[in-house]
């Protein structure tokens, strides 16, 4: 089977299934812990995506960490750096000293505008926003940077420009904020698991946990033991996601960060990927010429 095809088929197959669980993922795009949750969500989707659909929701709540330090750039820098050291996902806190994010609401509206082109488009766009905030220290609340991220996420740019300042994006964001209040979301990240039974309340996890905890909750909601799907080969995984961190690879494949870096350097020697140094470690870009 050609590279990437297996992973695409796996994701495509998951999309066709009627799934017994729905996951509401409450995030703040500027929350370093939400960024650190991304590898876990990727792994959960790869191994158990046949059992759930996922709905990202912008909570309207700044993360507890960002909330207490808003307007204090040196404190925010330290919080981001500490989260990076603790989680292994690069969060370059120098952004708050060099090019601070001035209008966070613009970022949220842009994500909702992207979602008007579909949930997957919205998730691709969110990822690009996070990459530029956490890795390249870019004020992604500026309109030119929002548009640049839209191009990278392969959105319809004309449609995105029209939606960026539209009532549709504002209403979508208001719906997310309302839902967050109804579910008592007080900080991010938070995940609420729902099953098919309308009578059952959702099960909420607030904060960042080890992967095994999310699997345990998923099985508890399914009320049965289920086996994880087979993971794609490393090169297929990289070709699907295109740009990925060593920490993410380590989480997905249950490797140490050192082994993840070693395996990626093997692909680098074959010119399959290019290493992108970041403040804490490496991200890897798939060389599209390999296709």
């Amino acid at each position: 089977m050609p590279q990437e095809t297996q992973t695409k088929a796996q994701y495509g197959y998951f999309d066709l299934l009627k799934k017994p669980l729905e996951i509401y993922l409450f995030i703040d795009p500027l929350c370093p812990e939400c960024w650190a949750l991304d590898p876990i969500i990727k792994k959960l989707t790869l191994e158990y995506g046949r059992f759930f659909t996922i709905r990202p929701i912008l909570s309207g709540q700044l993360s507890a960490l960002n909330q207490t330090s808003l307007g204090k750039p040196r404190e925010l820098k330290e919080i981001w750096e500490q989260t990076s050291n603790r989680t292994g996902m690069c969060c370059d806190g120098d952004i708050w000293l060099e090019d601070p994010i001035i209008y966070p609401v613009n970022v949220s509206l842009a994500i909702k505008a992207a979602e008007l082109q579909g949930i997957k488009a919205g998730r691709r766009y969110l990822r690009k926003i996070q990459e530029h905030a956490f890795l390249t220290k870019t004020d992604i609340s500026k309109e030119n940077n929002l548009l640049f991220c839209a191009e990278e996420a392969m959105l319809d740019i004309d449609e995105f420009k029209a939606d960026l300042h539209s009532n549709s994006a504002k209403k979508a964001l208001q719906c997310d904020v309302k839902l967050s209040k109804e579910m008592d979301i007080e900080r991010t990240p938070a995940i609420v698991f729902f099953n098919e039974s309308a009578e059952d309340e959702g099960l909420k996890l607030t904060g960042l946990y080890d992967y095994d905890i999310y699997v345990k909750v998923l099985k508890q909601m399914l009320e049965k033991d289920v086996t994880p799907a087979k993971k794609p080969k490393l090169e297929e995984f990289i070709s699907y996601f295109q740009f990925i961190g060593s920490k993410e690879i380590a989480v997905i494949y249950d490797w140490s960060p050192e082994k993840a870096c070693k395996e990626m350097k093997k692909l680098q020697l074959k010119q399959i990927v290019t290493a992108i140094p970041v403040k804490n470690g490496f991200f890897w870009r798939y060389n599209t010429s390999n296709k």
Side-chain angles (χ1 to χ4, degrees), residues 60 86 117 120 127 130 139 141 206 255 266 283:
R86 179 168 49 84
Q117 298 186 34
K120 286 185 177 179
R127 172 71 185 200
Q130 291 175 313
D139 177 4
S141 68
T206 300
W255 292 340
K266 290 179 186 176
F283 270 66

Side-chain angles (χ1 to χ4, degrees), residues 106-125:
N106 289 357
V107 180
S108 295
L109 285 169
I111 293 166
K112 300 318 290 185
E115 283 182 2
L116 293 173
Q117 298 186 34
I119 293 285
K120 286 185 177 179
R123 290 186 70 179
R124 285 199 312 271
Y125 186 72

Side-chain angles (χ1 to χ4, degrees), residues 99-236:
D99 194 14
I101 297 164
I102 305 298
Y103 303 110
V105 70
N106 289 357
V107 180
S108 295
L109 285 169
I111 293 166
K112 300 318 290 185
E115 283 182 2
L116 293 173
Q117 298 186 34
I119 293 285
K120 286 185 177 179
R123 290 186 70 179
R124 285 199 312 271
Y125 186 72
L126 170 64
R127 172 71 185 200
K128 292 302 173 186
I129 285 285
Q130 291 175 313
E131 287 172 3
H132 284 286
F134 293 113
L135 304 179
T136 67
K137 301 179 290 183
T138 302
D139 177 4
I140 35 84
S141 68
K142 293 176 182 173
E143 187 155 331
N144 61 322
N145 292 331
L146 293 172
L147 291 171
F148 181 73
C149 289
E151 290 174 3
E152 285 197 326
M154 297 176 293
L155 301 185
D156 181 315
I157 300 300
D158 291 335
E159 189 177 330
F160 179 76
K161 283 180 180 177
D163 289 334
L164 191 53
H165 303 289
S166 69
N167 284 330
S168 297
K170 290 174 185 173
K171 285 179 181 177
L173 182 57
Q174 287 168 359
C175 286
D176 278 13
V177 173
K178 183 181 177 185
L179 190 58
S180 301
K181 289 178 179 175
E182 288 173 353
M183 293 195 184
D184 296 320
I185 304 300
E186 295 177 349
R187 56 164 290 198
T188 57
I191 291 182
V192 184
F193 292 78
F194 291 97
N195 61 23
E196 293 174 301
S197 173
E199 292 79 29
D200 292 346
E201 289 187 8
L203 201 158
K204 180 167 65 177
L205 288 177
T206 300
L208 188 62
Y209 295 86
D210 290 337
Y211 179 70
D212 291 345
I213 298 297
Y214 297 99
V215 173
K216 185 177 180 180
V217 171
L218 182 117
K219 290 179 179 180
Q220 183 179 329
M221 295 298 288
L222 289 169
E223 298 181 342
K224 62 181 178 181
D225 193 21
V226 290
T227 56
K230 186 179 177 181
K231 296 187 189 80
K233 292 180 180 177
L234 179 60
E235 189 177 336
E236 292 165 355

Side-chain angles (χ1 to χ4, degrees), residues 73-85:
R74 291 198 176 277
E75 282 191 21
L76 276 170
K77 167 184 161 61
E78 191 170 330
I79 287 165
W80 278 35
E81 300 288 351
Q82 286 174 351
T83 306
S84 180
N85 291 333

Side-chain angles (χ1 to χ4, degrees), residues 4 35 53 110 135 146 177 220 237 239 291:
E4 187 179 3
W35 171 237
T53 55
L135 304 179
L146 293 172
V177 173
Q220 183 179 329
F237 175 76
S239 70
K291 291 187 176 182

Side-chain angles (χ1 to χ4, degrees), residues 237-250:
F237 175 76
I238 300 298
S239 70
Y240 181 85
F241 285 103
Q242 298 287 304
F243 186 72
I244 205 85
S246 295
K247 169 64 178 182
E248 296 179 279
I249 293 158

